[in-house]
Amino acid sequence: MTAFSLDPRLAADTRPVIDLPLSRLVMMRAVDHPWLILVPRQPDLVEILDLSEHDRRWLFDEVAEVAAALKAETGADKLNIGALGNVVAQLHVHVIARFRDDPAWPNPVWGRPAQRPRGSDVDADLAARLARRLAGS
């Protein structure tokens, strides 16, 4: 068994937000909308079923907690939540805030270039607010 490390593609495309009890929470850079990713801090995970039953429940609790925090901080019209893993095999769960006026609405966000990338100051501020909110829960 190897130690946990964030997949290099995820590390390159994200900024850290906070470590939760099970997962590392990171935020995608240079995208049209707030996009968070939870990565359980256990080595060699690919599928949700690779987690123990206890940790699967824990992951879904963290997803719900992160989703609620993201919705509260952004006022999103809709949240998209998914675990695809076709490009990055490491188990990770996307939590994406969607707005009726975002450039991709109502279509999926996957595989499209950002039309109006969020700025690093905006991302840093949101990441800090989310970290404070999640640390307090």
Side-chain angles (χ1 to χ4, degrees):
M1 187 189 285
T2 59
F4 168 79
S5 64
L6 193 60
D7 181 280
R9 289 163 291 197
L10 287 177
D13 291 343
T14 62
R15 71 170 49 242
V17 177
I18 192 172
D19 278 350
L20 300 169
L22 176 68
S23 303
R24 176 158 299 157
L25 181 64
V26 295
M27 178 184 288
M28 286 290 288
R29 299 177 192 269
V31 292
D32 292 321
H33 26 261
W35 185 328
L36 302 174
I37 300 173
L38 293 99
V39 185
R41 290 188 324 275
Q42 295 177 9
D44 307 321
L45 297 175
V46 176
E47 307 293 349
I48 289 173
L49 58 91
D50 294 337
L51 290 165
S52 69
E53 180 179 351
H54 174 268
D55 288 349
R56 283 193 303 269
R57 290 180 181 156
W58 201 346
L59 175 61
F60 280 100
D61 286 347
E62 287 184 347
V63 167
E65 182 180 17
V66 165
L70 184 60
K71 187 160 183 125
E73 289 294 335
T74 65
D77 295 314
K78 177 75 175 98
L79 296 171
N80 291 170
I81 299 172
L84 301 177
N86 296 339
V87 175
V88 174
Q90 182 177 38
L91 175 59
H92 60 287
V93 179
H94 301 265
V95 181
I96 307 164
R98 299 297 306 274
F99 304 88
R100 287 185 179 84
D101 66 348
D102 78 45
W105 186 269
N107 299 313
V109 298
W110 313 109
R112 56 181 302 285
Q115 301 299 307
R116 49 179 197 208
R118 298 168 53 78
S120 62
D121 291 344
V122 170
D123 289 343
D125 179 61
L126 178 58
R129 290 191 336 261
L130 287 165
R132 281 191 302 273
R133 182 179 287 269
L134 292 165
S137 53

